[in-house]
Amino acid sequence: MTQMAKAREGIITEEMKIAAQYEGIDPEIIRKGVAEGTIVVPANINHKGLKPRAIGKGMKTKINTNFGMSRGKEDQEYELEKLQLSLDMNSDTVMDLSIGGDIKGLLKRVIEKSPVAVGTVPAYQMIAEKGIFFTAEDFFEAIIDQAKLGVDYMTLHCGVNQSSLKLLDDSKRIMNCVSRGGGVMLNWMKKNGTENPLFEYYDRLLDIAAEYDVTLSLGDGFRPGSIHDATDKHQIHELRILGELTLRAWEKNVQVMVEGPGHVPLDQIATNVKLQKTLCHGAPFYVLGPLVTDIGAGYDHITAAIGGAVAAWHGVDMLCYVTPAEHLRLPALIDVREGIAATKIAAHAGDLAKGVTSYSEKDNVMSRARKDYDWEKQRELAFDKIKFDKYQKDGEQGDKKQCSMCGEYCPMRES
Ligand code: SF4
């Protein structure tokens, strides 16, 4: 039985209790949300040692960290360092997005080491192993393999179908498709002249997901990759399909999140959240960014954090981190650290605004620690302790009741 099936029978599972403890709330709130579909607790039955977190309505905004090998960058140990950093910085979920190297080997190690939910995009394994020459059967076998390994949630681009492909005939977009997984399905459909197997055989996918309790993260193959393309007919058409697929998943007690943009100007973010929540019946919304401008190269963790904070404020449930390397290269460890810190700040700022976190919990404590020159407490509350240590050491002066910014004129001393 899935978490959703149990929740609908009134059962509060161990996973719901763990998630509730993390939130500091009554587990019944999580049970009710899982039963309704407004909350997911991704928890594959084969992921041993998992301490799941709840994603959805009324919960703290979660963040996800991506890593993974690509062709020519196949060092598993380096990717596992990124996993450890993600855990040290309290990432709520991680995704192994490998498209090169020993994909199954790394995934197995990630699941063994990760106490937080692990996500994947199975299309990447397909494209890495077989290029575009895979069959529908190959794809379902890869999904079953990953489900058996213990993957808690999978991004699957089920909404990229022949109707959305046809819409591209008179596309006014600058970039038709910027989703790697969505692009795989588009190219496969064009090559084979048939329907996307994830859409055509969706019930089969649901049966697999139900057997292992894999949460579906319905991918947005047509997420806007440019401000110009935001909230256009391609994005909304796909969102409508994802809404229908959400209802079908719930009929089989399969948990669902819906993925979202992408690049969206600040003034369209609230509308995007409202649209998703309406068209997808309140299913949790998981966004990449959103990046509020296209011209932040090298600093896209900032463009994404601005959008992420506003998105979280308006009801987005999980933010996928974006690093300074976005659009430029595979992130290095330093990029991962900067990306996580920026995304944690965005999620927390959004939570303060939407009222799921109180100022008294951390912000007031930090302010008092600053006032008291309590550097240890400040460090404890900092999202990036490595940077805190470096900067604090650099700025330290003989007198601990000042730093190198204002020195002996520190205004807090006498006030
Ligand atoms: S010296 Fe200035 S920056 Fe440093 S602790 Fe005092 S007020 Fe803050």
Side-chain angles (χ1 to χ4, degrees):
M1 272 170 92
T2 63
Q3 295 289 323
M4 190 175 215
K6 288 176 186 162
R8 285 173 165 177
E9 290 200 358
I11 300 167
I12 295 176
T13 64
E14 202 48 44
E15 289 79 8
M16 292 172 203
K17 286 181 193 163
I18 293 169
Q21 196 175 13
Y22 180 78
E23 298 289 329
I25 58 171
D26 183 345
E28 170 58 17
I29 297 172
I30 295 187
R31 186 208 62 77
K32 190 165 176 291
V34 172
E36 291 168 353
T38 55
I39 294 174
V40 293
V41 178
N44 184 312
I45 56 168
N46 289 334
H47 188 170
K48 307 290 175 235
L50 172 69
K51 300 225 175 336
R53 294 182 186 173
I55 303 162
K57 189 177 172 191
M59 304 295 105
K60 287 177 184 149
T61 305
K62 303 299 182 297
I63 80 144
N64 169 67
T65 304
N66 296 330
F67 48 80
M69 303 173 292
S70 63
R71 207 159 280 177
K73 300 255 182 199
E74 299 170 12
D75 183 350
Q76 289 197 14
E77 303 311 317
Y78 191 56
E79 297 311 310
L80 289 172
E81 273 188 67
K82 293 179 189 172
L83 165 65
Q84 192 53 54
L85 180 60
S86 309
L87 299 175
D88 291 346
M89 294 181 76
N90 197 22
S91 207
D92 299 290
T93 76
V94 294
M95 290 189 83
D96 179 351
L97 301 186
S98 293
I99 51 165
D102 177 6
I103 292 180
K104 281 186 250 179
L106 177 62
L107 181 57
K108 188 167 179 291
R109 295 177 74 190
V110 167
I111 292 168
E112 281 167 4
K113 287 174 186 291
S114 176
V116 299
V118 175
T120 58
V121 183
Y124 296 173
Q125 185 182 324
M126 276 295 87
I127 199 83
E129 287 178 354
K130 297 183 183 277
I132 204 66
F133 303 101
F134 59 86
T135 63
E137 200 51 41
D138 292 333
F139 206 144
F140 281 107
E141 274 174 24
I143 291 169
I144 293 169
D145 273 358
Q146 294 196 357
K148 281 183 179 166
L149 277 180
V151 171
D152 302 289
Y153 68 98
M154 294 183 193
T155 295
L156 292 156
H157 298 84
C158 309
V160 174
N161 66 9
Q162 288 291 340
S163 71
S164 43
L165 184 58
K166 183 144 185 42
L167 267 191
L168 288 180
D169 287 349
D170 63 348
S171 168
K172 304 275 188 297
R173 281 191 155 191
I174 291 178
M175 286 180 275
N176 279 343
C177 177
V178 296
S179 155
R180 262 194 311 195
V184 170
M185 301 323 297
L186 268 182
N187 289 335
W188 190 90
M189 285 193 297
K190 280 188 200 163
K191 179 189 159 290
N192 291 287
T194 54
E195 187 53 279
N196 174 354
L198 298 175
F199 180 76
E200 189 169 8
Y201 307 114
Y202 187 62
D203 281 321
R204 182 174 177 196
L205 175 64
L206 293 179
D207 290 340
I208 298 166
E211 185 176 349
Y212 299 93
D213 204 356
V214 174
T215 297
L216 297 187
S217 190
L218 294 175
D220 54 336
F222 292 99
R223 70 165 173 266
S226 117
I227 293 293
H228 173 273
D229 300 339
T231 332
D232 69 355
K233 65 176 181 181
H234 306 281
Q235 185 192 335
I236 304 306
H237 178 77
E238 185 178 36
L239 204 52
R240 284 185 198 282
I241 297 169
L242 299 185
E244 288 162 17
L245 297 178
T246 297
L247 291 180
R248 283 175 60 190
W250 288 349
E251 277 172 24
K252 293 202 172 193
N253 291 322
V254 171
Q255 303 189 88
V256 175
M257 299 188 273
V258 175
E259 296 188 10
H263 290 231
V264 180
L266 213 42
D267 57 302
Q268 289 181 25
I269 290 177
T271 306
N272 265 262
V273 180
K274 210 175 205 174
L275 270 171
Q276 184 276 349
K277 291 282 176 183
T278 306
L279 294 175
C280 298
H281 317 284
F285 197 17
Y286 167 30
V287 297
L288 176 74
L291 284 70
V292 294
T293 168
D294 300 337
I295 60 166
Y299 294 88
D300 274 325
H301 57 318
I302 295 175
T303 57
I306 295 169
V310 175
W313 172 22
H314 288 284
V316 153
D317 305 290
M318 182 153 81
L319 305 176
C320 186
Y321 92 148
V322 173
T323 77
E326 183 76 6
H327 302 114
L328 299 172
R329 68 172 190 197
L330 189 71
L333 263 176
I334 176 69
D335 302 318
V336 172
R337 209 180 88 216
E338 300 265 323
I340 295 173
T343 313
K344 293 289 289 185
I345 292 166
H348 181 71
D351 283 350
L352 288 175
K354 73 178 164 191
V356 295
T357 293
S358 134
Y359 296 92
S360 59
E361 203 177 300
K362 287 183 178 166
D363 292 73
N364 292 356
V365 179
M366 181 62 121
S367 296
R368 289 201 181 91
R370 285 191 176 129
K371 172 90 174 85
D372 296 341
Y373 303 98
D374 183 346
W375 302 103
E376 265 315 301
K377 180 57 84 181
Q378 291 178 49
R379 181 183 192 278
E380 195 184 307
L381 289 162
F383 288 115
D384 181 349
K385 292 177 180 38
I386 297 173
K387 195 168 202 174
F388 181 93
D389 286 344
K390 182 177 180 341
Y391 280 39
Q392 203 257 326
K393 193 166 185 305
D394 286 352
E396 198 172 279
Q397 300 197 315
D399 185 345
K400 288 262 186 190
K401 295 198 168 187
Q402 63 188 51
C403 75
S404 58
M405 179 78 182
C406 331
E408 61 190 292
Y409 303 111
C410 179
M412 292 193 298
R413 268 192 198 171
E414 309 301 335
S415 58

